[in-house]
Amino acid sequence: MDREQIYYQSTRGEGGKVTASQAILQGLAPDGGLYVPDHLPKLDVPTAELAKMHYREVAFEVLKLFLTDYTEEELHHCIDSAYDAKFDSEEIVPLKKADGLTYLELFHGATIAFKDMALSILPHLMTTAARKNGLDKEIVILTATSGDTGKAAMAGFADVPGTSIVVFYPKDGVSYVQKRQMITQKGANTCVIGINGNFDDAQRGVKEMFGDKALAEKLAAEGFVFSSANSINIGRLVPQVVYYVYGYAKMVAAGEVTDGEPIDICVPTGNFGNILAAHYAKCIGLPVRNLICASNDNKVLYDFFRTGTYDRNRDFILTISPSMDILISSNLERLIYESCGAAKDPAAAAAKNRALMAELSSTGKYAVIDEMTSYMKDFIPGFATEQETLEEIRKVYENAGYVIDTHTAVAAYAADHYVAGLKESGEKVLPVLVASTASPFKFSRAVMHAIDPEHFSDEEAAPEEEWGVVDALSALTGLPLPPTVTEARSAEVRHPGTAEVSEMQEKVEMFLKRHK
Ligand SMILES: *Cc1c(COP(=O)(O)O)cnc(C)c1O
């Protein structure tokens, strides 16, 4: 096996280079930066061949380019363990053409949201990394969640030997279905606790545990080591590159685009992980013209790409696309670092990036220079208000009989708006691939309200009524309820526990004692 080696280095410049498996075990770099590849590989399989491949085979072709210290056998093992019957579609990622756009359905995994794409393989990449690096301890994943990530992480890590996972969620800050999904989680190595506080409180508690050296030593003596399944882990980012390559190849196969002709990609964006993966796909050679970055009312990124100023000093708005309610898009740092000229001079780029990130943490904002803006000119900002999001769901349903979720609708609206702009200015219209990030069943209330506002209000109701909304959506679409929804409805509650923020550490230690 003769593969060109890729190493990972921090966007803040310290600590030198590490292998992919080391970067995956560590998550965040020790200097607080994000790991990035020291150079970007090139896709070396012709599209015509990719077009004939199963998702697992495309995954192998992409992962082997980035995770170069994993053997081919190790990669096959990880891929086969992740993209299997947990997905309710044999294709893993089906494509649907509807109302002028092509949807890449990323929600056929265990928890029916796109986070499953990365979190179903991360546990295997991590346990393999542990073995490769001679780590003899059990990996304990600590996560604070505002709803989607925690459940997807648990579904990924449940019953994976050599790991356990503890999830904290704000007791009164997640939707009814999300809460049911979490407290019914199976797996002897899982632990879920509702916190008396909001998401930030839970997040702070987790960060404190990560930073506590005495705790780390105590747990190490008992055979445990903490790790994180956060979206900044390159073990989450790299698996997301796969589906853009796969999507393009399938569009070629379907005759929607000729081999080599570019497409535009539109992504509903929060933490900037998913769209950054699309950017990486472009960098390794996928024919992509523009990346449309779609935001909801929390449009920090929209403003950034328009003005060159990132400013988080604004009200946090709760929307019907909650997984995009974010004011600090962590993964943007990787693009900032690139735009500072990292390809030519990594040390100088890291220094510039460090200064900008220090400004962000002290003042809540920073401005980039023209050179950087022009580096990112293929990122086209778009956004949809709450009303526009609802209207888009209704429009797509009425025109095509296709039901999309609220997050996907933000992207669909932005894509339509973008295409209209191209037509107006006489620019070439290319096929648009839209990342469809959640099943409509996950956000049934808002979706039914969009389609049938007379019968469905936008107010959450009593639990029995919430299940009624899910049933109505099933009747409308003719689609069966996804297993995760049926399970959340009927499975026994396994994790009734709640705690104060001050008790979080004690809860973790108690769980690990019992679990041992
Ligand atoms: C997490 C999430 C997003 C945002 O993805 P980022 O990678 O954070 O930009 C969009 N839609 C859904 C349904 C999500 O769960």
Side-chain angles (χ1 to χ4, degrees):
M1 188 174 56
D2 194 17
R3 282 153 63 194
E4 179 194 344
Q5 292 298 305
I6 304 264
Y7 292 94
Y8 290 81
Q9 60 200 23
S10 169
T11 50
R12 305 206 183 163
E14 277 158 42
K17 294 186 179 190
V18 301
T19 62
S21 66
Q22 287 165 340
I24 286 173
L25 280 176
Q26 285 180 38
L28 202 66
D31 63 357
L34 276 56
Y35 281 117
V36 283
D38 60 354
H39 67 282
L40 282 160
K42 282 283 173 234
L43 197 57
D44 52 6
V45 187
T47 309
E49 258 176 66
L50 291 168
K52 285 184 257 165
M53 288 182 186
H54 187 267
Y55 190 84
R56 283 185 290 273
E57 297 171 285
V58 177
F60 177 74
E61 294 303 332
V62 174
L63 294 192
K64 78 168 196 221
L65 298 175
F66 284 95
L67 309 180
T68 53
D69 72 319
Y70 286 71
T71 66
E72 297 198 352
E73 290 69 32
E74 285 167 341
L75 288 177
H76 280 303
H77 165 76
C78 292
I79 290 165
D80 293 346
S81 310
Y83 305 115
D84 60 7
K86 287 191 287 300
F87 285 75
D88 69 8
S89 161
E90 163 58 22
E91 295 166 281
I92 308 296
V93 177
L95 277 79
K96 293 268 160 64
K97 224 177 142 173
D99 203 23
L101 302 170
T102 302
Y103 292 88
L104 188 64
E105 293 191 349
L106 304 173
F107 55 77
H108 289 273
T111 75
I112 59 174
F114 101 96
K115 306 249 180 345
D116 291 325
M117 296 310 304
L119 282 165
S120 54
I121 193 167
L122 182 68
H124 305 287
L125 293 174
M126 233 179 220
T127 49
T128 304
R131 229 176 7 253
K132 298 175 77 64
N133 290 279
L135 189 77
D136 55 359
K137 297 185 174 47
E138 174 164 321
I139 299 171
V140 181
I141 301 292
L142 280 191
T143 305
T145 186
S146 57
D148 276 350
T149 304
K151 177 67 188 180
M154 280 192 291
F157 281 92
D159 292 325
V160 172
T163 74
S164 56
I165 174 163
V166 186
V167 170
F168 296 98
Y169 68 94
K171 185 164 76 66
D172 302 313
V174 300
S175 81
Y176 180 72
V177 176
Q178 284 176 322
K179 184 168 182 167
R180 292 283 315 180
Q181 275 188 311
M182 281 192 273
I183 62 181
T184 56
Q185 177 64 45
K186 296 198 173 82
N189 65 339
T190 65
C191 172
V192 185
I193 294 161
I195 289 301
N196 269 323
N198 61 26
F199 170 67
D200 285 336
D201 297 326
Q203 180 82 315
R204 189 163 31 83
V206 164
K207 281 202 173 138
E208 271 168 27
M209 280 186 267
F210 273 124
D212 187 335
K213 293 222 164 67
L215 177 64
E217 278 168 27
K218 187 168 157 198
L219 289 180
E222 292 165 21
F224 297 108
V225 58
F226 282 145
S227 190
S228 151
N230 194 295
S231 87
I232 49 91
N233 194 311
I234 60 125
R236 278 187 63 181
L237 200 51
V238 171
Q240 295 179 173
V241 178
V242 175
Y243 46 73
Y244 292 109
V245 174
Y246 177 82
Y248 180 79
K250 292 297 156 187
M251 286 173 84
V252 170
E256 283 177 47
V257 55
T258 54
D259 194 350
E261 187 196 346
I263 58 168
D264 290 320
I265 293 177
C266 181
V267 185
T269 298
N271 211 14
F272 208 72
N274 202 1
I275 195 167
L276 189 74
H279 163 72
Y280 281 167
K282 178 176 179 176
C283 292
I284 66 172
L286 200 70
V288 177
R289 179 175 61 179
N290 288 326
L291 300 161
I292 304 142
C293 176
S295 302
N296 65 20
D297 276 330
N298 294 292
K299 56 186 183 55
V300 191
L301 288 165
Y302 176 82
D303 294 338
F304 170 66
F305 284 115
R306 276 172 66 100
T307 65
T309 297
Y310 193 95
D311 186 358
R312 63 155 303 192
N313 301 307
R314 60 181 78 203
D315 288 336
F316 180 89
I317 302 168
L318 289 172
T319 73
I320 51 172
S321 44
S323 303
M324 296 158 69
D325 291 344
I326 283 176
L327 292 180
I328 295 201
S329 301
S330 315
N331 274 296
L332 181 65
E333 179 171 344
R334 289 186 160 110
L335 184 67
I336 296 287
Y337 169 75
E338 270 183 42
S339 75
C340 290
K344 284 211 189 83
D345 188 346
K352 283 183 204 160
N353 174 59
R354 227 169 26 235
L356 293 173
M357 294 306 132
E359 224 180 302
L360 178 64
S361 94
S362 63
T363 68
K365 61 185 212 176
Y366 61 83
V368 302
I369 55 174
D370 289 350
E371 261 172 275
M372 293 167 68
T373 318
S374 66
Y375 180 86
M376 318 172 178
K377 64 180 183 307
D378 56 342
F379 284 84
I380 310 293
F383 83 100
T385 62
E386 296 287 270
Q387 199 52 41
E388 287 162 346
T389 306
L390 292 170
E391 280 163 16
E392 185 73 19
I393 294 173
R394 188 185 176 116
K395 187 202 85 164
V396 175
Y397 176 69
E398 285 179 352
N399 291 349
Y402 183 57
V403 181
I404 55 177
D405 102 290
T406 47
H407 303 75
T408 309
V410 168
Y413 181 87
D416 284 347
H417 187 79
Y418 163 78
V419 170
L422 291 179
K423 285 182 178 157
E424 217 165 274
S425 63
E427 279 172 82
K428 187 162 190 212
V429 175
L430 300 176
V432 184
L433 183 63
V434 175
S436 180
T437 52
S439 157
F441 282 105
K442 201 149 194 178
F443 303 94
S444 304
R445 166 70 59 184
V447 169
M448 286 309 295
H449 176 63
I451 292 173
D452 186 2
E454 269 178 40
H455 294 100
F456 296 91
S457 79
D458 55 0
E459 299 283 322
E460 215 173 282
E464 319 77 64
E465 285 181 48
E466 286 310 307
W467 296 123
V469 181
V470 171
D471 288 333
L473 181 58
S474 172
L476 180 82
T477 54
L479 297 171
L481 293 189
T484 183
V485 174
T486 322
E487 214 172 290
R489 190 173 188 164
S490 59
E492 72 169 305
V493 173
R494 295 189 61 247
H495 307 274
T498 60
E500 300 302 323
V501 176
S502 59
E503 298 169 322
M504 286 170 67
Q505 177 174 333
E506 194 186 319
K507 293 284 174 189
V508 170
E509 291 189 62
M510 266 167 54
F511 166 68
L512 293 177
K513 259 201 199 90
R514 245 184 306 132
H515 170 57
K516 214 176 171 185

